[in-house]
Amino acid sequence: MPSGQSSFPRWGQFLLLFCGVGLLALISLGVGDVYISPAEVLAALTGGEQVDDSTKTIIINLRMPRILLALIVGAGLGTAGAGYQGMFRNPLADPFVIGASSGAAFGAAIAIVLMWGETPFGWGAVPVSAMAGALLAVGLVYGIASVGGRVPTVSLLLAGIAVSSIFSSMVALMMYLNEEQLARITGWLMGSFARANWDIFWPAAAIIVCCMLTLWYFSRGLDVLTFGEESAAALGFQMNQIRFIVIMLATLMTATSVAAGGIIGFIGLLAPHGARMLFGARHARVIPGSAFIGGALLLLADDVSRSIMDSRELPVGVICALMGSPFFLYLLKTRQYSLDAEAGG
Amino acid sequence: MLKADQLTCAYGEDPILDRLSVQLNPGEVLVLIGPNGAGKTTLMRALSRLLKPTSGKVLLGEEDIWKQKPREVAQQLALAVQQEHRDWALTVEEAVSLGRSPYKGWTGRMVTDDHDIVESSMQQMGISLLRDREITSLSGGEWRRMILARALAQQPEILLLDEPTSGLDLKYQFEILTLVRDLAHTQQLTVALTLHDLNQAALYGDRIALISHREIVAIGKPEEVLTPEIIGEAYEVEVHVLRHPEFQTPLIVPIGKRASTS
């Protein structure tokens, strides 16, 4: 759909999407080992008498934090993807392109291998270490790519590939040398919301929402970048500032998402594409659009992961990749997202 | 007023421009010509605050351009670079609206005045009907007009265009150059542009500056600069210079490569 030619107003599209996500969340509250009907879910949420206490507990204390966490992590990954794609002017960029993923995996693996326990502020050592690993990797990439006060985009991408490779090799080495922890590391690397609770949800939501709003506030800088860095500079924008702000915000969202749910790919790649198809290319719309779509996609994937097999959950990262890859191939085939055209000019 | 004063620019160790001075005047089209690699684009980048000179300075108004903020510069000076990307499918109207960025920054909202300026810029460039088209689908000529409309939305006093006709067919080349000349003459804009086609330079330049060997070797009216001797020296080709039958401007007819003197 060419942007700007829709007869249906944009606010209407956003409202529909918002309602759709809300409906999906309501349905998701009923999905799981114990099926709960939408009427019972509504009764539990509104304090009705028709549901027993155990059902209320399942909904309020077990499923609600998990569903909200999946939504917020998906929104964070989607928004981070929109930020990275806009920043790198590359439709294939995603939250893990500059090393955040492998850094997080390294952080998590170290914490698992060294059997670090709890941290003072509620989160376990594994997510905190994963978050630190993601930030460390991106910090390294940024530092290596800086040349004389400038940070060229190509250098960032190349440094990202190299740093990712180093961290991935170290994770592989740790897995090889610590067979007894192999299952735990692998499980964590595949992503899951099985551990979700309110203590994980609130800090993750606070960080991700703050970053999303700030990134949205700076969306014009990403729009200007569509003409290239030189044109953006000629329009009065200071490129190094834009780069730093976007990368920091997107990385913080990625790191928080990884810390809260493990490593989950494809959402950051797919959500911005979906948002551009629905709302056009302006980042003021792509960013909230990516948040809604990313949240909905990840919630759907989590629903599938915990309902497709009796008595056990599948890793949500695997479901995302299984659902995401065909969709991405469909996009490549049907949309005019030819890399030649995107990179051309 | 935009002025380069004893400007030396380098990428790494080798200077591209060496103590070059030039002044751009309101209501005038200055065409920069010169062989490949002579430093035309470097001069454009230095004049628009994209490249910091190693010595000398660029004066915008009365002040050194590097002492002014990028946004302040962009409110006075618009640049269309040689190769612009078109990564995301913004609409034409959204793209032209970005010309208001120097006044809005990253966060400012467009108000009625901004929309009026964007509308008028699109009208001047004849692209109002394309407002909802995605910029990724524009033809070469439409794209150039969109870039010019974006530049006009900046409401600049100075317009710098680096090879604005490259990749365009003859019709669009003349269309763009006529539009630019009209802007300079009717709205008193200061315009500088780089061109490879010497005959177009003769037709559309009020003055021509020939850059060669890191400096301006000739500057003046087309008939003063476009002589067989000056062109032969700079481009190492033999040319005849005739009179344009319609406009009486110099008409350059190449004969062949100049015989080596060494």
Side-chain angles (χ1 to χ4, degrees):
Chain A
M1 180 197 330
S3 58
Q5 290 180 357
S6 166
S7 56
F8 197 60
R10 297 243 187 255
W11 64 265
Q13 292 175 345
F14 271 109
L15 190 66
L16 265 183
L17 196 56
F18 181 77
C19 294
V21 172
L23 191 64
L24 181 65
L26 267 183
I27 294 168
S28 303
L29 282 169
V31 173
D33 276 347
V34 180
Y35 173 75
I36 302 169
S37 71
E40 285 177 298
V41 169
L42 275 177
L45 290 178
T46 51
E49 299 289 316
Q50 307 92 311
V51 284
D52 56 46
D53 284 347
S54 65
T55 307
K56 274 186 188 168
T57 305
I58 290 175
I59 289 176
I60 307 289
N61 291 335
L62 295 177
R63 292 194 184 162
M64 185 101 109
R66 176 173 187 148
I67 280 155
L68 291 178
L69 190 65
L71 276 176
I72 202 72
V73 165
L77 288 171
T79 313
Y84 283 123
Q85 288 183 11
M87 173 69 247
F88 291 115
R89 304 201 324 270
N90 187 328
L92 290 179
D94 77 354
F96 303 144
V97 75
I98 56 170
S101 164
S102 49
F106 174 74
I110 274 205
I112 291 170
V113 166
L114 298 180
M115 288 185 271
W116 288 342
E118 293 295 307
T119 55
F121 41 97
W123 283 17
V126 176
V128 170
S129 181
M131 195 164 172
L135 293 173
L136 171 74
V138 174
L140 262 178
V141 167
Y142 208 83
I144 292 168
S146 306
V147 186
R150 289 184 64 244
V151 189
T153 302
V154 175
S155 306
L156 266 177
L157 286 170
L158 290 175
I161 292 169
V163 168
S164 283
S165 245
I166 294 170
F167 279 116
S168 300
S169 320
M170 289 200 281
V171 171
L173 191 65
M174 276 192 278
M175 289 166 79
Y176 183 77
L177 295 176
N178 296 277
E179 262 181 53
E180 67 283 7
Q181 298 288 358
L182 194 61
R184 212 175 146 212
I185 297 176
T186 314
W188 203 87
L189 291 182
M190 287 194 283
S192 168
F193 291 110
R195 298 176 299 270
N197 59 44
W198 290 115
D199 290 340
I200 295 178
F201 171 75
W202 287 117
I207 295 172
I208 289 173
V209 168
C210 284
C211 290
M212 267 190 311
L213 290 175
T214 315
L215 190 65
W216 181 71
Y217 194 64
F218 288 109
S219 54
R220 192 196 298 264
L222 287 170
D223 285 346
V224 171
L225 262 177
T226 198
F227 295 111
E229 297 188 6
E230 200 141 77
S231 296
L235 280 165
F237 288 87
Q238 300 198 33
M239 286 310 306
N240 281 350
Q241 278 181 15
I242 296 184
R243 240 188 242 108
F244 183 77
I245 289 172
V246 172
I247 288 175
M248 281 305 114
L249 291 171
T251 301
L252 201 54
M253 279 189 281
T254 306
T256 309
S257 301
V258 169
I263 293 184
I264 297 161
F266 270 101
I267 300 289
L269 188 64
L270 292 179
H273 285 273
R276 271 185 224 106
M277 284 168 78
L278 287 174
F279 305 116
R282 271 189 64 198
H283 286 86
R285 295 191 293 255
V286 170
I287 287 169
S290 301
F292 279 121
I293 293 172
L297 280 176
L298 190 52
L299 180 53
L300 201 60
D302 188 49
D303 287 350
V304 173
S305 86
R306 62 200 169 94
S307 60
I308 198 166
M309 286 177 80
D310 284 340
S311 75
R312 68 180 293 197
E313 287 189 11
L314 291 178
V316 70
V318 174
I319 303 291
C320 278
L322 280 174
M323 284 171 28
S325 315
F327 181 61
F328 186 67
L329 292 172
Y330 164 79
L331 273 182
L332 266 183
K333 200 71 191 158
T334 55
R335 293 283 300 169
Q336 291 160 350
Y337 282 151
S338 136
L339 287 183
D340 292 343
E342 300 279 0
Chain B
M1 193 268 294
L2 186 66
K3 187 177 174 183
D5 185 18
Q6 294 287 305
L7 201 63
T8 299
C9 295
Y11 298 111
E13 294 288 304
D14 299 327
I16 307 292
L17 300 174
D18 189 14
R19 284 168 290 168
L20 180 149
S21 296
V22 66
Q23 181 173 327
L24 281 63
N25 301 318
E28 178 191 77
V29 177
L30 175 70
V31 180
L32 303 172
I33 60 170
N36 286 337
K40 303 184 292 292
T41 296
T42 303
L43 178 58
M44 283 294 193
R45 297 185 74 228
L47 287 174
S48 52
R49 203 188 179 277
L50 292 182
L51 177 69
K52 197 164 192 173
T54 47
S55 68
K57 55 187 163 186
V58 172
L59 295 169
L60 176 60
E62 296 300 320
E63 203 182 349
D64 187 338
I65 201 167
W66 282 94
K67 290 189 176 151
Q68 301 177 48
K69 291 182 179 152
R71 272 176 65 183
E72 290 169 3
V73 172
Q75 288 173 11
Q76 303 167 69
L77 183 154
L79 167 77
V81 300
Q82 203 177 118
Q83 279 194 326
E84 292 229 12
H85 296 265
R86 46 175 106 180
D87 292 299
W88 307 121
L90 294 172
T91 65
V92 167
E93 187 172 9
E94 288 166 350
V96 174
S97 300
L98 291 175
R100 299 304 295 156
S101 302
Y103 302 90
K104 299 287 149 190
W106 291 354
T107 54
R109 290 189 66 79
M110 297 272 286
V111 295
T112 312
D113 277 356
D114 297 306
H115 289 297
D116 290 347
I117 291 163
V118 168
E119 188 60 46
S120 130
S121 306
M122 288 196 297
Q123 268 176 15
Q124 279 189 73
M125 289 300 117
I127 54 170
S128 297
L129 291 176
L130 303 178
R131 70 177 67 244
D132 289 329
R133 278 266 298 278
E134 293 177 350
I135 57 172
T136 45
S137 71
L138 296 179
S139 70
E142 291 165 344
W143 173 263
R144 293 281 175 192
R145 282 188 288 163
M146 183 275 289
I147 293 293
L148 272 178
R150 191 194 69 199
L152 288 186
Q154 284 177 250
Q155 294 190 302
E157 295 154 20
I158 299 155
L159 194 55
L160 303 180
L161 308 168
D162 194 9
E163 296 198 23
T165 56
S166 74
L168 297 185
D169 69 26
L170 207 54
K171 175 188 151 197
Y172 284 126
Q173 289 181 25
F174 282 105
E175 188 180 286
I176 292 292
L177 290 173
T178 306
L179 280 169
V180 169
R181 185 179 57 188
D182 290 350
L183 284 172
H185 292 173
T186 59
Q187 299 184 18
Q188 289 299 297
L189 274 184
T190 304
V191 176
L193 52 99
T194 62
L195 285 177
H196 272 297
D197 186 325
L198 301 184
N199 288 318
Q200 283 181 350
L203 277 174
Y204 290 94
D206 296 309
R207 275 192 309 154
I208 293 177
L210 172 60
I211 303 179
S212 180
H213 297 102
R214 302 195 284 271
E215 57 188 3
I216 291 180
V217 292
I219 183 164
K221 290 184 177 163
E223 54 271 24
E224 293 166 356
V225 175
L226 299 175
T227 66
E229 296 75 27
I230 294 174
I231 295 170
E233 186 68 32
Y235 288 89
E236 297 176 10
V237 289
E238 298 283 351
V239 297
H240 283 313
V241 177
L242 313 175
R243 285 270 145 218
H244 192 292
E246 193 78 22
F247 305 107
Q248 306 306 311
T249 51
L251 186 66
I252 290 87
V253 183
I255 304 168
K257 199 165 180 286
R258 208 181 200 196
S260 173
T261 51
S262 57

